């Protein structure tokens, strides 16, 4: 999984960090904050699960070290984040009830993950990428098409075709699937669950008529009195969350299905977990790892794209009933816990800011 650089022994600070009290305290404080933020991790601690997990394997540094031999606070934070993700994934996925391979998954779950694993069979690269909608998957698909020669450049303009010129693991025979899962480099990119949901809401119900007609009309009919005349383009965020709360996870649209269900990180042992928050740095790491040509780079954000900012997320969450958010969190708790994202802060004090 997520390429930790070195495990930090519990209760022991780095000797080289003693020169700075703030830097020395950062790993333990961040770890403590992440653990407290996630009820999933708290449950593991209460049951003594995390205490049984050994340090993850050592990996080479993700980037160049500083000349003075010390890591910056940002580098230490990244190291702790990766270490936390590794330990949590190993703790959860090590339980007897969890699947060890895609063949142990129920048929519906297996179909979902195999349909989201894109394959590069080029002898030079050989990798599997589990695409997650609303986590820069369109740009990764562009890169796959360029590497396979179906697209001239990642900068080619035009609407993205999400099906043609792409190879999905679900298209292959069982023995071909098993071989690639065992021998190919595997990676995934993740994002804060609530930020991903807000991004999907704003994009699909604010811009895409197909989603307004297919989902918006149904949501308004179900949750709004006298909403039968709506065109589905005025779904509120609260109505969208109520719809997710009532929806069966396995039947969700891929744009708001939990990442865990899309990519099954217990059944598929990913070699690298990148994050949307470090998109370009983590993407560059993957491109270097698969030894892509130097002219292939991760595309820049389009000028028309409106990102979800912390302020925007704050506004939407604090304008929504707390009960609704709290009841929805269990459906996404594995995404929060496994990928070390803090639960949303919706306290009165925070929302007054």
């Amino acid at each position: 999984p997520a390429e930790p650089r070195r495990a930090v022994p519990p209760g022991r600070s780095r000797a080289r960090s003693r020169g700075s009290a703030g830097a020395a305290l950062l790993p333990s404080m961040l770890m403590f904050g992440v653990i407290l933020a996630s009820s999933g991790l708290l449950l593991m601690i209460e049951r003594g699960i995390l205490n049984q997990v050994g340090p993850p394997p050592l990996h080479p540094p993700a980037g160049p070290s500083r000349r003075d031999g010390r890591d910056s606070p940002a580098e230490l934070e990244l190291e702790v984040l990766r270490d936390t993700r590794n330990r949590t994934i190993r703790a959860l996925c090590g339980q007897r009830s969890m699947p060890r391979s895609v063949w142990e998954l129920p048929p519906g779950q297996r179909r979902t993950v195999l349909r989201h694993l894109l394959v590069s069979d080029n002898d030079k690269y050989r990798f599997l990428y589990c695409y997650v909608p609303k986590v820069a998957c369109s740009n990764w698909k562009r890169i796959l098409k360029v590497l396979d020669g179906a697209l001239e450049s990642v900068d080619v303009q035009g609407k993205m075709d999400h099906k043609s010129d792409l190879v999905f693991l679900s298209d292959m025979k069982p023995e071909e699937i098993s071989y690639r899962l065992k021998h190919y480099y595997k990676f995934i990119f993740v994002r804060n669950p609530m930020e991903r949901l807000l991004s999907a809401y704003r994009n699909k119900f604010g811009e895409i008529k197909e989603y307004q007609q297919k989902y918006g009309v149904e949501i308004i009919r179900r949750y709004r009195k006298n909403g039968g005349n709506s065109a589905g383009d005025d779904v509120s965020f609260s109505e969208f969350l109520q719809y997710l709360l009532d929806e069966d996870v396995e039947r969700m649209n891929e744009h708001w299905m939990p990442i865990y269900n899309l990519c099954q990180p217990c059944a598929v042992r990913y070699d690298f977990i990148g994050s949307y928050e470090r998109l370009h740095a983590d993407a560059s790491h993957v491109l270097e790892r698969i030894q892509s040509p130097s002219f292939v780079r991760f595309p820049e954000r389009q000028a028309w794209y409106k990102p979800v900012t912390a302020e925007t997320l704050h506004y939407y969450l604090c304008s929504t009933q707390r009960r609704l958010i709290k009841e929805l969190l269990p459906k996404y708790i594995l995404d929060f816990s496994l990928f070390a994202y803090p639960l949303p802060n919706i306290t009165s004090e925070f929302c007054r800011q």
Side-chain angles (χ1 to χ4, degrees):
E3 299 241 10
R5 289 173 42 201
R6 290 176 300 277
V8 182
R12 187 185 305 170
S13 62
R14 298 173 182 277
R16 68 184 182 194
S17 300
R18 291 174 181 170
S20 171
L25 288 174
L26 179 61
S28 59
M29 290 177 65
L30 180 61
M31 177 77 79
F32 182 72
V34 170
I35 290 175
L36 284 184
S38 170
S39 58
L41 289 178
L42 280 175
L43 181 60
M44 290 181 180
I45 292 173
E46 291 170 359
R47 294 181 177 178
I49 297 175
L50 285 183
N51 295 333
Q52 303 169 12
V53 181
L58 297 178
H59 290 271
S65 301
R66 287 172 39 164
R67 291 183 180 180
D68 59 7
R70 296 181 180 180
D71 288 336
S72 68
E75 289 171 330
L76 288 174
E77 181 176 344
L78 176 61
E79 181 176 330
V80 173
L81 172 64
R82 287 176 171 166
D83 186 48
T84 302
R85 285 178 176 170
N86 269 271
R87 289 174 180 271
T88 311
I89 290 174
R90 289 176 57 148
L92 178 71
C93 298
Q95 302 307 296
R96 291 183 179 180
S97 61
M98 302 305 290
R100 298 294 198 277
S101 74
V102 296
W103 309 116
E104 295 182 17
L105 294 170
Q109 295 180 17
R110 182 165 62 247
R111 281 194 300 270
T112 296
V113 66
L114 293 181
R115 288 173 179 172
H116 284 82
L117 280 164
L118 289 167
V119 184
S120 174
D121 263 337
N122 189 304
D123 289 339
K124 295 180 180 179
Y125 313 119
R126 294 195 174 190
F127 64 83
L128 300 177
Y129 159 59
C130 187
Y131 80 87
V132 178
K134 309 311 299 177
V135 191
C137 72
S138 294
N139 282 336
W140 273 114
K141 289 176 180 178
R142 288 180 184 274
I143 289 176
L144 261 78
K145 292 187 178 188
V146 170
L147 292 177
D148 289 341
L151 199 64
E152 181 180 348
S153 167
V154 295
D155 298 319
V156 171
Q157 299 298 316
K159 186 177 180 180
M160 178 66 185
D161 188 328
H162 291 268
K163 298 296 181 183
S164 67
D165 299 318
L166 292 170
V167 180
F168 298 84
L169 202 57
S170 57
D171 298 331
M172 299 183 171
K173 299 177 181 178
E175 59 271 18
E176 296 173 330
I177 292 173
S178 295
Y179 178 84
R180 284 158 180 77
L181 285 170
K182 181 178 181 180
H183 296 285
Y184 281 24
Y185 181 74
K186 299 172 288 295
F187 68 94
I188 177 181
F189 273 71
V190 300
R191 185 178 187 179
N192 180 297
M194 292 307 298
E195 183 180 306
R196 177 173 170 250
L197 289 182
L198 179 54
S199 177
Y201 163 76
R202 295 206 308 171
N203 173 238
K204 301 308 176 187
F205 297 106
E207 302 173 6
I208 312 298
K209 192 171 183 178
E210 176 187 350
Y211 278 77
Q212 295 168 0
Q213 294 175 340
K214 182 175 181 179
Y215 295 99
V217 171
E218 171 62 20
I219 290 173
I220 292 174
R221 183 195 64 79
R222 191 186 300 184
Y223 300 111
R224 190 185 304 177
K225 291 182 179 180
N226 304 319
N229 296 325
S230 172
D233 58 352
D234 58 341
V235 176
S236 71
F237 189 57
S238 293
E239 290 170 333
F240 174 58
L241 295 188
Q242 184 64 56
Y243 167 72
L244 297 181
L245 182 60
D246 295 337
E247 185 76 351
D248 180 1
V249 169
E250 297 299 329
R251 299 179 61 186
M252 283 184 175
N253 179 278
E254 64 176 8
H255 289 84
W256 42 80
M257 182 181 283
I259 298 174
Y260 179 89
N261 297 80
L262 289 173
C263 296
Q264 296 288 345
C266 288
V268 179
R269 299 295 300 272
Y270 292 98
D271 299 289
F272 183 78
I273 298 178
S275 63
Y276 189 83
E277 296 75 21
R278 281 178 43 88
L279 183 57
H280 281 275
D282 285 351
S284 296
H285 172 83
V286 171
L287 291 174
E288 181 179 350
R289 172 61 179 76
I290 64 175
Q291 298 182 343
S292 69
S294 59
F295 69 86
V296 177
R297 53 174 178 73
F298 196 80
E300 295 295 330
R301 178 183 293 164
Q302 299 292 330
W304 49 263
Y305 181 74
K306 298 178 181 178
V308 174
T309 64
E311 292 76 17
T312 305
L313 183 61
H314 181 206
Y315 170 79
Y316 275 92
L317 292 180
C318 289
S319 301
T320 304
Q321 289 182 327
R322 293 185 204 172
R323 172 199 62 81
L324 193 55
I325 296 175
K326 289 180 178 179
E327 290 179 359
L328 182 63
L329 287 179
K331 284 195 171 182
Y332 295 89
I333 195 62
L334 287 177
D335 286 1
F336 282 105
S337 298
L338 290 179
F339 308 127
Y341 285 108
L343 296 180
N345 187 346
I346 51 175
T347 61
S348 299
E349 179 181 356
F350 181 74
C351 287
R352 280 196 299 266
Q353 296 178 4

